[in-house]
């Protein structure tokens, strides 16, 4: 996940923009694959680790050697159950199946996955807006290796040959299949951001999209506004960030609308998102649908987690992003919901709660968290944040000073009083401010007369001068008040 | 000398492991060209290992219950540093980087590996004629097949090349060649012996088991190779009591059923006569014998020839020319996969991959694979109701004695019928073994099959010992 | 079917196999005829479930040993001819 995707600012899609159409509705269903944060692979004891020299995290099982057999990783099951519980799924007895197809990065030429009896079914995920998206299933499966195409600019169809690395082969994945209930690229973005936050919160995944720990396939269709029938969908592969997902959905919806408005049907296809030209390209059509010949994996036994185990896992779940948002919204009422969501997304909700509990005014606490702590809270203690807010409210620190004090607290901790003192931020007394304002009036007669004639914009000029003269010690509010009373 | 005698002699210093292995190696040298039981003989390695065992004994250590016992391994058992081919061109020369669990267990018990035995390619066959490296001949009559698919292992024991061989049994591949070669062969309960390192044919049916000349030797080997293994999910988690301990307990009072569906139609009269003799021997030893009916057993062959190829079609997908084994080059990977597989697999393997692909394909799954798995349930249920009334069942192992080389190669269905008596227990997972019981009209060995419920090995071996003693 | 299994059969093989497949399907027609709707399928003869392995790293294979036995290797990886397309 890039820093860009962490930001709550809305997606800006260069060029295309959202389908301006008010006659068409975009329908999106997402399939998300997340690598589970285990020590070892799903069915063998070689390490589950990103990177490393090619083909060094391999064992007979993950290389599909003749005679090798899979044995299920207990931790992967536990993490899958955590995800299932966090997504409000029913945890059910499950069976692994073989999905048969030939591809060089798949060591056995079949993938062990869950087919008609997945471990988690019928859940839901709530977007920060309160809208609930149904989750069809969240099942366990193994990852494939990686194929690199050499020559032809790395393009698959023009490569001279390919090289295969099996380090990733057998890494545990959870595939979360959502219902087509998302209605825009923005909702899709919210969905993935929320899902990612949940996966990270329960310790199931590191959620890193740029390392491929989180991969999204988008099923996109369009339909006339008001219709309750689903249009023909296309599945978009190869979206590697939230940003490209948004672009791909917008592009694909536009393409389908153009297709339909020009009288041509949409063909059910799998399409590939090309980041460079900003388009989706057909990979294959539905008619070429592959016969995977699924059947129960005979080398593995059914999985039937006991109620006690599931209950134990449920008890151990940390508060989820949704609960944390509720909790913070309750403590910091009247605060912008976007700010609440962002604080939770940045895992600063505990800090915010503690600062508010310590007596800090919620709006000021949240302002610091959203605007001044984007790079993290460092050494800042909740009591210090609460104390800082107190000092601001008491007029002991100006907003500019508070920001500087905060930077010191993030850097090296301590109390705001001490930091303010070290920075020389002692509040000016009334006499001092009056002397300052009178001097500024005397030094700037032209500006003063325009101000007296009613040009209020000059307030900013005088406050700026006051700040400059005092290196930010002056309280802007007090200066403004004095200017107004002198004007009479 | 039996394996038990070899081991006790080596452990006590009465004879050396080296002298034992030398004796077997000279038998191999003399007769192997005619029999062709082996794909690979590792004479030097075997001698070095025997010396190691002798040194351990000299140093006062106990090399284990199979100290100095020469063992031949079916060529579908992975052996680190020793080629494992499954008698297929596609794996010719492949040297596994790891040992099968049974190989480790035997090594730790003091066994001395002499080589890898010939087999039907990927264990698909009943005569060992489907080997890419040429057929094995029956040591009792070189014009006859040894049975299969573990024909090389059965022949190796029958020819005196090794007192012990391991085979694998998916539909009778240990029991049928044991019967045809006149040796003891055991298909343990599914899950009793780890399959880790056994190159899969049909995962839900495959089991590893021993070939030996005597019942006690099979018991000794089974006691070494059985037990839980964390590397095989289908391994039974609890250790089982040693079979050897109760070998001499007899059959007095046991209820034995003659499995009528597998003992009447299609069984050659001379084979049927030997079964009657065996029944008589069990009765004289105090067993109560009557007819037992498992009606669904007749569907075993049909279910087997859908389930086994289906699993095989998937298990054998990995031989694609990418990671190991044969590659036939081509301009693209899909073409390379196809060229490699078309050149690397023999007829029977291709045939079964095609059947299995068909049985699993969309639109046919329910009618074939799905249906076969329900037939499997039917057979299990029928056996379950019989186990209430009987402790053991008996039948012939093979409908006929060893047939001639080439006799059935052109007619796959005739070949498949060789397995009619053996396949049902692979579908149910139960224990079964074949015990040699005299000869047929042609002077060739006849085997009697003893069937026991899951984990019924101790009782099964008691009956086998009684039959052996009655000859 | 042959394409799904990545096998190429000669006309002669195709004809022979088709005949043999038909013969087998004739034989297994006896089970097709059985009414078994009420019976569940048996995937495993053993009534075992929940076999799990602790998440503890074990030994890895030696890359050089593995690649030395590969049909073709380059840069620590397995080399294959052009793959032509994405996985299905
Ligand atoms: Mg999918
Ligand atoms: Zn998937």
């Amino acid at each position: 996940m890039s820093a860009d995707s962490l930001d709550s600012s809305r997606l800006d899609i260069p060029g295309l923009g959202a389908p301006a159409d008010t006659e068409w509705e975009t329908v999106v269903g997402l399939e998300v694959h997340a690598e589970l944060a285990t020590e070892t692979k799903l069915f063998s004891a070689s390490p589950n680790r990103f990177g490393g020299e090619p083909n060094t995290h391999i064992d007979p099982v993950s290389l599909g050697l003749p005679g090798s057999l899979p044995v299920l990783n207990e931790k992967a099951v536990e993490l899958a159950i955590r995800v299932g519980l966090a997504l409000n799924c029913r945890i059910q007895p499950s069976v692994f199946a073989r999905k048969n197809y030939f591809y060089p990065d798949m060591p056995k030429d079949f993938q062990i996955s869950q087919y008609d009896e997945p471990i988690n079914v019928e859940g839901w995920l709530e977007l920060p807006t309160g809208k609930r998206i149904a989750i069809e299933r969240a099942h366990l499966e193994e990852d494939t290796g990686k194929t690199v195409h050499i020559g032809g600019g790395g393009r698959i169809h023009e490569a001279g040959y390919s090289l295969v690395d099996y380090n990733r082969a057998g890494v545990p994945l959870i595939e979360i299949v959502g219902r087509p209930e998302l209605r825009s690229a923005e909702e899709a973005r919210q969905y993935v951001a929320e899902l990612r936050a949940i996966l990270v919160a329960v310790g199931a995944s590191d959620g890193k999209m740029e390392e491929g720990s989180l991969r999204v396939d988008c099923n996109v269709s369009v339909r006339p506004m008001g219709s309750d029938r689903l249009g023909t969908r296309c599945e978009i592969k190869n979206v590697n960030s939230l940003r490209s997902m948004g672009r791909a959905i917008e592009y694909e919806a536009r393409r389908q609308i153009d297709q339909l408005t020009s009288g041509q049907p949409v063909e059910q296809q799998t399409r590939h998102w090309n980041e460079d030209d900003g388009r989706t390209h057909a990979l294959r059509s539905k008619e070429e649908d592959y016969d995977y010949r699924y059947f129960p994996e005979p080398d593995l036994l059914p999985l039937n987690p006991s109620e006690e185990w599931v209950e134990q896992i449920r008890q151990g779940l940390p508060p989820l992003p949704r609960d944390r948002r509720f909790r913070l919204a309750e403590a910091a009422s009247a605060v912008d919901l976007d700010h609440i969501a962002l604080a939770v997304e940045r895992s600063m909700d505990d800090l915010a709660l503690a600062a508010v509990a310590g007596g800090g005014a919620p709006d000021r606490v949240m302002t610091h968290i959203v605007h001044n702590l984007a790079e993290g809270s460092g050494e800042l203690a909740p009591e210090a944040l609460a104390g800082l807010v107190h000092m601001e409210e008491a007029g002991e620190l100006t907003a500019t000073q508070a920001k500087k004090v905060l930077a010191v607290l993030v850097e090296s901790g301590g109390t705001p009083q001490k930091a303010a003192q070290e920075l020389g931020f002692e509040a000016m007394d009334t006499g001092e401010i009056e002397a300052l304002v009178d001097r500024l009036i005397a030094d700037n007669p032209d500006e003063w007369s325009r101000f007296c004639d009613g040009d209020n914009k000059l307030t900013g000029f005088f406050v700026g001068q006051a700040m400059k003269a005092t290196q930010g010690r002056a309280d802007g509010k007090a200066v403004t008040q004095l200017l107004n009373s002198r004007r009479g | 000398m039996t394996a038990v005698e070899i081991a006790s002699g080596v452990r006590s210093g009465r004879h050396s492991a080296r002298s034992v292995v030398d004796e077997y190696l000279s038998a191999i040298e003399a007769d192997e060209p005619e029999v062709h039981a082996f794909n690979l003989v590792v004479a030097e390695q075997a001698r070095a290992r025997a010396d190691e065992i002798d040194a351990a004994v000299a140093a006062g250590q106990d090399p284990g219950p199979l100290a100095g016992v020469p063992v031949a391994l079916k060529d579908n058992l992975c052996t680190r540093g020793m080629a494992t081919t499954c008698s297929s061109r596609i794996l010719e020369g492949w040297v596994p980087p790891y040992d099968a669990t049974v190989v480790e267990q035997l090594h730790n018990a003091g066994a001395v590996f002499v080589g890898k035995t010939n087999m039907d390619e990927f264990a698909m066959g009943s005569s060992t004629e489907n080997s890419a490296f040429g057929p094995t001949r029956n040591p009792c009559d070189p014009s006859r097949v040894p049975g299969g698919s573990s024909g090389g292992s059965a022949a190796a024991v029958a020819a005196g090349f090794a007192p012990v061989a391991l085979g694998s049994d998916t539909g009778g591949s240990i029991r049928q060649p044991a019967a045809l070669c006149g040796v003891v062969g055991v298909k343990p309960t599914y899950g009793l012996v780890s399959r880790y390192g056994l190159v899969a044919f049909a995962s839900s049916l495959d089991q590893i088991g021993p070939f030996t000349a005597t019942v006690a030797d099979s018991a000794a080997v089974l006691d070494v190779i059985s037990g839980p293994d964390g590397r095989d999910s289908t391994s039974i988690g609890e250790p089982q009591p040693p079979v050897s301990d109760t070998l001499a307990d007899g059959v007095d009072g046991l209820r034995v059923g003659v499995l009528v569906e597998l003992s009447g139609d299609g069984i050659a009269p001379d084979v049927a006569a030997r079964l009657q003799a065996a029944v008589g021997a069990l009765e004289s030893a105090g067993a109560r014998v009557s007819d037992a009916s498992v009606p669904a057993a007749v569907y075993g062959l049909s279910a087997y020839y859908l389930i086994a190829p289906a699993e095989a079609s998937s298990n054998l997908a990995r031989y694609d020319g990418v990671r190991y084994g044969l590659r036939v080059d081509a301009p693209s990977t899909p073409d390379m996969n196809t060229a490699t597989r078309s050149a690397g697999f023999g007829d029977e393997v291709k045939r079964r991959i095609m059947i299995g692909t068909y049985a699993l394909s969309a639109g046919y799954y329910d009618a074939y694979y799905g249906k076969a798995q329900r037939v499997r349930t039917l057979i299990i249920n029928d056996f379950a109701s019989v186990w209430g009334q009987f402790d053991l069942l008996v039948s012939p192992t093979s409908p006929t004695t060893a047939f001639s080389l080439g006799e059935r190669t052109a007619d796959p269905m005739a070949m498949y019928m060789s397995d009619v008596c053996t396949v049902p227990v692979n579908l149910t997972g139960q224990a079964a073994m074949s015990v040699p019981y005299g000869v047929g009209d042609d002077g060739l060995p006849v085997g009697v099959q003893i069937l026991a419920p899951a984990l019924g090995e101790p009782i099964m071996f008691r009956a086998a010992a009684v039959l052996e003693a009655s000859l | 079917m042959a394409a799904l299994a990545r096998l190429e059969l000669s006309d002669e093989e195709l004809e022979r196999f088709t005949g043999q497949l038909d013969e087998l399907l004739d034989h297994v027609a006896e089970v097709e005829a059985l009414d078994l709707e009420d019976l569940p399928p048996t995937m495993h003869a053993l009534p075992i479930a929940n076999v799990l392995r602790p998440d503890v790293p074990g030994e890895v294979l030696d890359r050089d040993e593995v690649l030395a036995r590969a049909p073709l290797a380059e840069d620590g990886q397995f080399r294959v001819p052009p793959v032509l397309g994405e996985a299905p």
Side-chain angles (χ1 to χ4, degrees):
Chain A
M1 178 111 0
S2 60
D4 146 79
S5 60
L6 280 173
D7 198 284
S8 79
S9 65
R10 297 304 178 238
L11 285 167
D12 64 317
I13 314 291
L16 286 165
D21 244 294
T22 48
E23 289 160 38
W24 295 91
E25 184 176 49
T26 304
V27 176
V28 181
L30 298 180
E31 285 172 31
V32 176
H33 285 86
E35 288 182 353
L36 293 173
T38 55
E39 289 296 315
T40 67
K41 293 187 176 175
L42 184 53
F43 298 117
S44 67
S46 56
N48 168 15
R49 208 176 298 141
F50 179 74
E53 279 287 297
N55 292 305
T56 52
H57 304 159
I58 54 169
D59 61 275
V61 177
S62 57
L63 208 54
L65 291 187
S68 60
L69 293 171
V71 186
L72 184 56
N73 183 339
E74 178 172 26
K75 181 75 180 184
V77 176
E78 187 197 318
L79 295 180
I81 294 173
R82 279 197 218 168
V83 173
L85 292 172
L87 293 176
N88 311 289
C89 289
R90 185 157 54 80
I91 317 296
Q92 63 168 19
S94 61
V95 167
F96 286 93
R98 291 187 184 180
K99 180 182 183 181
N100 294 284
Y101 64 92
F102 283 88
Y103 206 72
D105 63 19
M106 207 165 50
K108 305 177 293 298
D109 289 300
F110 60 77
Q111 182 196 27
I112 304 179
S113 181
Q114 295 189 316
Y115 181 50
D116 45 13
E117 296 172 71
I119 179 165
N120 302 308
V121 291
E122 293 163 16
W124 49 264
L125 175 149
E126 191 172 290
L127 303 180
T129 58
K131 177 173 174 178
R132 279 189 186 181
I133 306 300
I135 305 284
E136 187 178 315
R137 56 192 282 154
H139 68 255
L140 276 165
E141 65 183 25
E142 58 178 344
D143 209 343
T144 63
K146 271 184 181 155
T147 310
V148 188
H149 309 294
I150 310 292
R155 279 183 296 276
I156 197 165
H157 290 281
E158 289 140 56
Y161 62 93
S162 298
L163 297 176
V164 193
D165 168 16
Y166 294 100
N167 278 350
R168 202 183 63 181
V171 162
L173 295 176
I174 187 152
E175 180 178 341
I176 301 138
V177 181
R179 294 257 180 218
E181 295 177 354
L182 300 162
R183 293 291 173 262
S184 65
E186 167 54 19
E187 275 194 357
R189 194 208 65 83
Q190 289 175 10
Y191 173 90
V192 175
E194 182 67 9
L195 180 54
R196 177 188 170 277
I198 290 171
L199 292 170
V200 172
V202 302
S205 172
D206 63 15
K208 290 178 183 164
M209 237 171 150
E210 77 277 13
E211 287 184 6
S213 310
L214 199 72
R215 305 195 283 271
V216 184
D217 296 335
C218 315
N219 288 297
V220 179
S221 64
V222 297
R223 63 183 173 193
M225 199 62 82
S227 163
D228 55 4
R229 282 183 37 218
L230 288 173
T232 305
R233 70 189 155 87
C234 288
E235 184 177 1
I236 317 297
K237 303 223 176 238
N238 193 47
V239 293
N240 298 321
S241 66
L242 285 191
R243 191 181 151 80
S244 47
M245 181 183 76
R247 292 177 68 202
I249 292 171
E250 300 281 11
Y251 172 86
E252 180 60 20
R254 182 80 261 165
R255 187 190 71 81
Q256 292 182 14
I257 292 168
D258 288 349
Q259 189 91 1
L260 292 169
T261 49
S262 68
Q264 285 162 309
V266 172
E267 196 194 342
Q268 187 167 342
Q269 287 173 329
T270 301
R271 299 179 68 87
H272 185 266
W273 167 249
N274 185 325
E275 189 67 42
D276 298 332
D277 68 7
R279 294 165 192 274
T280 63
H281 299 268
L283 273 180
R284 59 178 175 273
S285 66
K286 178 73 182 168
E287 286 75 70
E288 297 161 47
D289 232 14
Y290 197 84
D291 184 354
Y292 293 112
R293 289 154 291 140
Y294 283 101
F295 74 103
E297 164 59 279
D299 286 324
L300 290 167
L301 297 160
L303 181 62
N304 190 1
S306 69
E307 270 174 47
E308 299 81 67
W309 193 26
V310 173
E311 204 40 49
Q312 190 193 327
I313 294 171
R314 190 194 304 274
Q315 298 304 326
L317 281 184
L320 298 174
R322 176 171 173 266
D323 310 329
R324 286 160 53 185
R325 284 195 300 269
F326 278 142
R327 205 172 52 182
L328 185 54
E330 218 166 37
S333 54
V335 167
D336 184 356
L337 283 180
D338 274 0
H339 287 187
I340 300 276
L342 189 59
V344 169
E345 205 171 311
R346 287 186 187 158
S347 295
M348 289 197 193
D349 48 324
D350 282 342
L351 177 67
L353 282 171
V356 170
D363 58 335
R364 277 181 188 266
V365 167
M366 291 304 292
T367 300
H368 283 305
I369 283 188
V370 172
H371 297 292
N372 303 334
L373 293 172
E375 307 298 322
S377 58
E379 300 299 310
L380 174 68
E383 314 79 64
L385 180 56
L388 181 72
V389 169
H390 275 304
M391 289 174 75
E392 282 181 270
E393 287 182 310
E396 292 165 33
L397 285 175
T398 67
T400 315
Q401 287 174 329
K403 218 167 146 177
K404 289 182 177 160
V405 170
L406 191 63
V408 171
L409 297 174
V410 167
E411 180 65 31
S412 41
T415 65
Q417 289 77 9
K418 189 157 161 281
Q421 202 171 16
E422 276 166 15
L423 286 166
F425 295 160
E426 271 153 86
M428 298 171 78
D429 61 36
T430 320
E432 222 179 323
I433 295 180
E434 282 177 359
L436 172 69
V437 168
D438 290 341
R439 198 171 75 235
L440 289 174
I441 290 171
D443 289 354
N444 299 284
D446 286 354
E447 285 80 3
W448 175 246
S449 70
R450 272 157 56 202
F451 178 68
C452 292
D453 290 346
D455 187 348
N456 284 326
K457 283 197 293 265
L458 283 156
T459 311
F461 167 78
F462 283 107
V463 171
Q465 290 296 311
M467 291 297 172
K468 207 166 147 193
T470 60
Q471 278 112 38
R473 274 174 66 222
D475 181 348
K477 256 195 263 172
V479 171
T480 308
Q481 266 169 18
L482 265 178
L483 286 167
N484 284 329
S485 65
R486 288 281 191 278
R487 181 165 60 173
Chain B
M1 244 191 313
T2 69
V4 171
E5 287 162 357
I6 291 169
S8 76
V10 168
R11 290 165 98 178
S12 66
R14 269 200 312 281
H15 48 242
S16 70
R18 177 59 186 265
S19 66
V20 170
V21 79
D22 278 338
E23 209 173 301
Y24 282 99
L25 287 172
S26 50
I28 292 172
E29 210 170 311
D31 298 330
E32 166 65 6
E34 182 175 48
V35 178
H36 187 218
F38 288 97
N39 287 338
L40 175 71
V41 176
V42 289
E44 279 324 298
Q45 200 175 312
R47 290 193 181 98
R49 170 69 177 148
D51 290 343
E52 199 179 289
I53 302 281
D54 289 332
V57 173
Q61 294 154 5
D62 181 0
L66 297 177
V69 174
V71 174
L73 299 167
K74 188 175 181 179
D75 206 13
N76 59 355
L77 294 167
C78 285
T79 41
R80 181 171 184 140
M82 201 191 292
T84 299
T85 72
C86 297
S87 288
S88 181
R89 293 276 174 224
I90 216 159
L91 273 183
E92 193 169 0
W94 180 61
V95 181
Y98 77 105
D99 276 327
T101 296
V102 291
V103 171
E104 266 178 14
Q105 288 167 319
L106 287 172
H107 178 91
N108 294 340
V112 175
F113 301 124
V114 293
K116 304 298 286 287
T117 60
N118 198 11
M119 55 188 281
D120 286 300
E121 185 177 0
F122 285 102
M124 297 177 185
S126 309
S127 68
T128 315
E129 291 167 290
N130 299 331
S131 165
F133 311 126
T136 296
R137 289 168 183 276
N138 193 320
C140 307
D141 176 351
S143 72
R144 308 289 179 124
V145 301
S149 65
S150 314
S153 290
V157 172
F161 297 161
V164 173
L166 287 194
S168 64
D169 190 315
T170 306
S173 283
I174 292 173
R175 289 160 288 156
Q176 185 256 17
L180 270 47
C181 291
V183 298
V184 177
V186 183
K187 193 226 63 114
T189 301
Y190 185 82
L192 185 62
V193 178
S194 168
R195 292 183 296 118
Y196 186 76
L198 165 68
V199 181
F201 162 17
S203 312
S204 76
L205 307 170
D206 297 341
Q207 262 299 279
I208 297 168
F211 290 92
T212 59
T214 70
V215 172
D217 280 359
S218 273
V221 175
L222 186 60
D223 287 339
V224 167
I225 64 174
S226 60
D229 182 13
R231 291 176 294 188
D232 174 2
S233 306
T234 62
S235 159
I236 294 169
E238 302 77 33
Q240 301 300 315
V243 175
S244 305
D245 289 0
T246 49
L247 207 51
D249 287 3
V251 293
D252 193 14
L254 289 188
R255 300 161 301 168
V256 176
V258 178
L259 214 173
V260 292
E261 284 80 8
L262 302 183
S263 305
D265 283 356
I267 305 299
D270 55 341
V271 172
R274 292 313 301 159
L275 177 66
Q276 278 319 305
V279 165
L282 291 170
E283 272 178 326
S284 334
R288 287 177 284 142
V289 184
S290 56
D291 281 352
S293 176
V294 180
V298 299
Y299 301 120
L301 208 60
S302 290
Y304 174 82
Y305 275 100
L306 291 170
I307 294 168
E311 292 182 7
S313 70
S314 173
N315 282 331
L316 270 62
R318 69 190 67 192
Y319 306 103
D320 58 7
V322 174
R323 291 159 299 276
Y324 40 77
L326 180 73
R327 172 182 294 186
V328 176
D329 224 337
S332 73
T333 288
D335 288 349
M336 181 276 284
N337 296 153
T338 304
T340 300
R341 293 164 60 78
S342 301
F345 289 137
D347 251 25
E348 183 63 25
V349 173
K350 286 182 193 167
R351 187 155 40 231
R352 298 208 199 184
I353 289 175
M354 297 292 291
I355 297 168
T357 305
Y358 184 78
L360 288 176
S361 63
Y364 295 99
Y365 182 95
D366 289 336
Y368 292 115
Y369 185 74
K371 196 64 173 266
Q373 297 287 35
R374 288 175 204 273
V375 172
R376 198 172 180 178
T377 311
L378 187 71
I379 299 174
I380 289 172
N381 291 351
D382 275 10
F383 267 107
S385 56
V386 163
W387 292 129
Q389 303 144 52
F390 295 94
D391 301 302
L392 292 171
L393 299 173
V394 292
S395 80
T397 307
S398 162
T400 65
T401 57
F403 42 94
S404 297
L405 269 90
E407 191 182 318
R408 296 182 188 177
T409 41
D411 183 357
M413 278 316 296
M415 188 71 87
Y416 296 170
M417 293 307 284
S418 321
D419 299 329
V420 66
C421 300
T422 47
V423 293
V425 297
N426 293 90
L427 295 167
T428 62
Q430 297 159 4
M433 67 192 287
S434 182
V435 185
Y437 209 69
V439 296
D441 296 343
D442 48 12
L444 289 168
V446 171
V448 167
Q449 179 175 228
I450 309 171
L451 300 84
L455 298 177
E457 276 83 358
I459 292 184
M460 178 174 83
F461 268 84
R462 282 161 56 189
V466 165
L467 286 184
E468 183 180 55
S470 72
L471 276 174
Chain C
M1 216 50 68
L4 266 184
R6 294 266 156 105
L7 287 173
E8 189 169 47
L9 302 177
S10 66
D11 290 347
E12 181 272 327
E13 280 177 315
L14 201 61
E15 197 178 322
R16 190 156 42 89
F17 285 4
T18 310
Q20 289 164 344
L21 183 65
D22 285 346
E23 203 185 337
L24 179 81
L25 293 180
D26 270 357
H27 184 87
V28 303
E30 67 177 20
V31 308
E32 259 187 289
L34 296 172
D35 178 16
L36 303 174
E37 279 314 299
D38 299 337
L39 280 185
T42 296
M43 306 306 173
H44 297 93
L46 287 174
I48 313 180
N50 301 324
V51 175
L52 298 167
R53 168 182 67 80
D55 185 27
V56 178
E59 265 178 61
V60 293
L61 287 169
D62 180 69
R63 178 172 77 175
D64 296 336
E65 187 184 349
V66 168
L67 289 178
R69 290 157 193 177
L72 197 60
E74 181 177 309
D75 273 349
Q77 295 167 79
F78 295 83
R79 182 174 160 164
V80 294
V83 298
L84 298 188
E86 313 264 351

